[in-house]
Amino acid sequence: MSANGKPKGIDISIVKLVPRNERKIAKKYRQRIEASLRAVGLIEPLIVFPLDDGYEILDGALRYRILLDHGVETVPCLVHDARDGFTGNRMVNQLSASQEMRMLRKSLEELDEKTIASALGMQGIGHRLNKGLLAKLHPDVVKAFNANKINLQTAKELTNVKQDRQHEILKLMESCNDYSTTFARGLVLKTPANKRAKANGSKTPWTQADEKKSQLLKKLQEAEQQQDFYTGLYRQYTTNLLKLVIYVRTLLNNAEVKAYLQTNHADLARIFEEILESTEG
């Protein structure tokens, strides 16, 4: 530990390092870290704690294992003075889309896209940079995006309208304290035609809405057709039932026929009587 209370940074022989614990790591994740180390080196030092004649690794066991496999002799480390209270998770910070874009743009000042992509274990980073996105946004929207008020999907939704309309939508989102993509999309759909951005051949929220409306109308038409079919079927059923009731009543009103049925076909006679009872009134 240094005099100012911060962890002391020193280079330590890799043979003096001992992992605190071994975790099972997915092969894909290991390959990504390994690619990063090959491309740009070890950016984040290992966090260690003095233990006996060596140092216990509190954070960075996977990086240590990869460096060991590659024959690295010394490793940059930060010596931490607390062993039990340390947790590597508290140092993890998930980047937002805007923060990631800024980080990648900053990296491009020193490294080419291919090297950065290799370090991240990806084929390319163009989709992460979202080139041209910020140029389509109103300056105030850009500020809100960089401040993580609106997410990447919301920013993309706003590019469907002109910048003055983007500003209007942003103000409405601020007044309602609702920065959700759903709310933004609803406001975009309400945008007059003269404030919509040029489509450039791609589908717009309005064409997508029209398609959904057409699909809904089609389903309603199919439902109406089914309703008509079953209505007609029911009418035919009731007509046939009425004819059957008249026929059965005629049979049972004949004393000789009724007696014959009860004597020789008791089950059938009982069914006929049940039909008449269920249709009385």
Side-chain angles (χ1 to χ4, degrees), residues 92-105 128-130 142-153:
V92 175
N93 180 28
Q94 296 294 332
L95 295 178
S96 67
S98 60
Q99 290 171 330
E100 184 181 68
M101 286 172 62
R102 290 200 300 272
M103 180 193 75
L104 291 175
R105 288 198 300 269
R128 295 290 187 94
L129 287 169
N130 289 288
V142 174
K143 290 179 182 178
F145 179 54
N146 287 333
N148 298 324
K149 284 187 175 181
I150 62 176
N151 60 30
L152 179 60
Q153 187 56 44

Side-chain angles (χ1 to χ4, degrees), residues 58-103:
L58 303 181
D59 184 60
L62 176 58
R63 281 168 282 153
Y64 155 79
R65 186 62 62 190
I66 294 172
L67 294 172
L68 184 65
D69 291 344
H70 283 266
V72 174
E73 296 181 356
T74 58
V75 183
C77 299
L78 290 178
V79 181
H80 204 274
D81 64 348
R83 178 174 181 268
D84 295 331
F86 177 84
T87 171
N89 291 333
R90 71 183 180 185
M91 302 180 68
V92 175
N93 180 28
Q94 296 294 332
L95 295 178
S96 67
S98 60
Q99 290 171 330
E100 184 181 68
M101 286 172 62
R102 290 200 300 272
M103 180 193 75

